[in-house]
């Protein structure tokens, strides 16, 4: 193919393709990669269908591709036989002298395989296709991480309350008086000071 | 059998994707709207064709899950063998991406801090905050103690000066 695009991002949504697949009740579990590769196959199929239909459009000297061009393309290509039932109701192109070779048998939904018609005998699939959604889940890997949450709580001991600092210590009296005149604690008792004064008197006498 | 049923939006390829495909494949050709609708239905038919064939192949191999290998065999048996090489490339990319995802997830587990470590760090921060608060309280207590000491010193010096004045008066009396 001339336009080969290797983007991993699928053009058609895989989830949608999986849902379309599983409208057929016989379809069970589907591997995760299957809708992605069917999306790629669908791209190639559409590219082929559109290019061949375009050849029909051009051969008819038309400017717009119509459903009739698609129908003729589908009828001419054996690869697209499975689409004949789908386009059976599409009108043929105007002024077309060719006979309509559409197969009138509408029993099987899908066309026969090219070169082989033994599939029906070998397959055990019933033709009753309901449009109900299948409830089966895809076998996808569950990547949920198992995290072990261990609640190890460390409560450090609070530092012990600071003990009362040592009591009043002797120091020479300072003439400087601090600005904080209102005292938070009661003033010292005058007893010891009086005792000091008496000592001085003893020295004098 | 109504082959064109199932036109629900959830059960067909999105129209925008079809329009984009048509634009890229036939850039210079106009396509009628009903032809676009027909192409959407062709896609649905193609998906059902491949799915049913792959399902039969899957059943014959006595498996329960349709695998990419079953799809590739279905393409071969239905006359789309020319698609297989590109389909296999996409399959290989799927496997590569899945493998990278597993490695990436394990790498994230290694690079990222695990939850236990996060909890431990959180509690360490809480402990440091409590310790800092305790230290601040202790400093305030020490400052109050120092203020009290200074107050006591000031009171003591005031009392001493008063007594000194009294002793001077007595000396004057003795001289006379």
């Amino acid at each position: 193919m001339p336009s080969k695009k290797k983007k991993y991002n699928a053009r058609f949504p895989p989830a949608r393709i999986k849902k379309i697949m599983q409208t057929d009740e016989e379809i069970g579990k589907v591997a995760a990669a299957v809708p992605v590769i069917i999306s790629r196959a669908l791209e190639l199929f559409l590219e082929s269908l559109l290019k061949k239909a375009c050849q029909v459009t051009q051969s008819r000297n038309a400017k717009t591709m119509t459903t009739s061009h698609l129908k003729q393309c589908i009828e001419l290509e054996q690869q697209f036989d499975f689409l004949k039932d789908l386009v059976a109701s599409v009108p043929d192109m105007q002024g077309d002298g060719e006979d309509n070779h559409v197969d009138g048998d509408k029993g099987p939904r899908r066309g026969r395989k090219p070169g082989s018609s033994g599939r029906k005998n070998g397959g055990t699939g019933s033709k009753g296709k309901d449009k109900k959604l299948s409830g089966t889940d895809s076998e996808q890997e569950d990547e949920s991480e198992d995290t072990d949450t261990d609640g190890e709580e460390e409560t450090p001991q609070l530092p012990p309350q600071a003990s009362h600092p040592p009591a009043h210590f002797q120091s020479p009296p300072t003439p400087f008086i601090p600005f904080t005149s209102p005292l938070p604690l009661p003033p010292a008792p005058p007893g010891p000071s009086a005792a000091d004064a008496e000592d001085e008197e003893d020295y004098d006498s | 059998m109504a082959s064109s049923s199932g036109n629900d939006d959830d059960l067909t390829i999105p129209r925008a994707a079809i329009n984009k495909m048509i634009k890229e494949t036939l850039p210079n050709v106009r396509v009628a709207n009903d032809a676009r609708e027909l192409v959407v239905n062709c896609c649905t038919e193609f998906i059902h064709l491949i799915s049913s064939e792959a399902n039969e192949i899957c059943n014959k191999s006595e498996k329960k899950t349709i695998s990419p290998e079953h799809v590739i065999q279905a393409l071969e048996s239905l006359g789309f063998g020319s698609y297989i090489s590109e389909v296999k490339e996409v399959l290989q990319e799927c496997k590569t991406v899945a493998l990278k995802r597993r490695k990436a997830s394990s790498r994230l587990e290694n690079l990222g801090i695990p939850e236990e470590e996060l909890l431990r760090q959180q509690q360490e921060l809480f402990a440091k905050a409590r310790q800092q608060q305790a230290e601040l309280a202790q400093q305030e207590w020490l400052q109050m103690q120092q203020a009290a000491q200074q107050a006591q010193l000031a009171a003591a010096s005031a009392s001493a000066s008063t007594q000194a004045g009294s002793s001077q008066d007595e000396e004057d009396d003795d001289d006379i």
Side-chain angles (χ1 to χ4, degrees):
Chain A
M1 293 295 178
S3 64
K4 181 181 289 186
K5 301 177 180 178
K6 288 192 174 181
K7 295 181 181 178
Y8 167 69
N9 191 14
R11 185 183 303 274
F12 306 115
R16 186 73 63 88
I17 291 177
K18 179 185 169 186
K19 193 175 289 187
I20 295 170
M21 290 174 70
Q22 292 184 331
T23 56
D24 186 352
E25 279 190 338
E26 296 179 8
I27 305 295
K29 291 185 177 180
V30 174
V34 163
V36 180
I37 61 176
I38 287 185
S39 173
R40 182 61 178 148
L42 187 59
E43 284 182 51
L44 301 171
F45 161 75
L46 278 181
E47 193 171 351
S48 175
L49 176 68
L50 290 169
K51 286 185 174 179
K52 287 169 180 170
C54 181
Q55 290 173 8
V56 174
T57 305
Q58 289 173 352
S59 69
R60 303 291 300 178
N61 291 322
K63 293 184 178 179
T64 303
M65 182 189 292
T66 65
T67 53
S68 301
H69 302 152
L70 283 165
K71 177 177 182 179
Q72 179 168 341
C73 160
I74 287 165
E75 289 172 352
L76 292 175
E77 291 288 332
Q78 189 178 15
Q79 199 177 47
F80 304 143
D81 276 357
F82 69 98
L83 298 169
K84 284 187 174 179
D85 296 336
L86 184 68
V87 297
S89 61
V90 172
D92 291 324
M93 286 175 288
Q94 297 295 332
D96 188 3
E98 296 180 0
D99 291 335
N100 187 358
H101 294 290
V102 176
D103 187 2
D105 182 13
K106 297 186 178 180
R109 183 175 182 182
R110 297 184 299 278
R112 293 185 179 81
K113 291 188 293 183
S116 170
S117 63
R119 184 171 57 85
K120 294 181 182 179
N121 300 329
T124 60
S126 64
K127 297 298 180 182
K129 296 182 181 299
D130 295 333
K131 290 298 180 182
K132 290 183 292 184
L133 284 174
S134 176
T136 57
D137 294 331
S138 171
E139 193 182 31
Q140 294 182 355
E141 291 187 0
D142 187 8
E143 293 185 354
S144 64
E145 297 179 354
D146 186 10
T147 58
D148 186 10
T149 60
D150 187 5
E152 182 182 2
E153 186 176 2
E154 295 179 355
T155 56
Q157 294 181 354
L158 291 174
Q161 290 291 336
S163 62
H164 192 80
H168 171 76
F169 61 93
Q170 294 294 333
S171 68
T174 58
F176 186 77
I177 299 173
F179 293 101
T180 58
S181 56
L183 301 177
L185 294 178
S193 301
D196 292 342
E198 289 177 356
D199 291 339
E200 290 178 358
E201 287 182 354
D202 292 339
Y203 283 142
D204 292 338
S205 64
Chain B
M1 183 181 294
S3 60
S4 64
S5 64
N7 282 330
D8 298 336
D9 287 341
D10 282 347
L11 298 178
T12 56
I13 298 297
R15 184 61 174 265
I18 297 297
N19 291 339
K20 187 178 177 184
M21 186 76 195
I22 293 173
K23 185 69 177 177
E24 290 182 8
T25 306
L26 309 172
N28 299 318
V29 179
R30 287 191 298 176
V31 180
N33 206 34
D34 54 346
R36 292 171 188 266
E37 190 67 27
L38 183 57
V39 168
V40 169
N41 294 330
C42 290
C43 293
T44 305
E45 284 296 316
F46 181 81
I47 292 171
H48 283 301
L49 176 74
I50 303 298
S51 303
S52 297
E53 185 70 10
N55 194 41
E56 290 186 14
I57 294 169
C58 177
N59 290 336
K60 287 178 182 176
S61 65
E62 297 182 356
K63 295 288 178 59
K64 291 186 176 179
T65 303
I66 296 175
S67 73
E69 187 58 34
H70 299 141
V71 173
I72 290 172
Q73 292 178 28
L75 290 169
E76 180 69 44
S77 66
L78 291 168
F80 298 104
S82 60
Y83 299 175
I84 290 176
S85 60
E86 296 197 32
V87 164
K88 284 185 174 179
E89 287 179 4
V90 171
L91 178 58
Q92 189 58 44
E93 287 177 6
C94 286
K95 294 179 177 178
T96 304
V97 169
L99 190 61
K100 285 181 180 177
R101 281 177 185 169
R102 292 199 194 102
K103 289 184 176 178
S105 67
S106 64
R107 206 173 294 162
L108 279 177
E109 283 179 359
N110 293 329
L111 287 179
I113 303 171
E115 194 168 348
E116 296 177 7
E117 183 65 22
L118 285 175
L119 287 176
R120 197 185 312 166
Q121 288 184 5
Q122 189 182 23
Q123 286 166 4
E124 282 181 2
L125 290 176
F126 284 163
K128 286 181 181 178
R130 288 196 213 98
Q131 190 174 2
Q132 285 179 3
Q133 284 186 355
E135 287 177 358
L136 287 178
Q138 191 173 2
Q139 286 179 6
E140 287 180 2
W141 176 265
L142 289 177
Q143 286 177 2
M144 291 177 67
Q145 292 296 318
Q146 289 178 3
Q149 287 179 11
Q150 289 180 1
Q152 287 181 1
L153 289 177
S157 64
S159 299
S161 63
T162 305
Q163 292 296 330
S166 300
S167 63
Q168 287 178 0
D169 292 340
E170 290 178 357
E171 288 177 359
D172 290 342
D173 291 342
D174 289 340
D175 289 341
I176 298 168

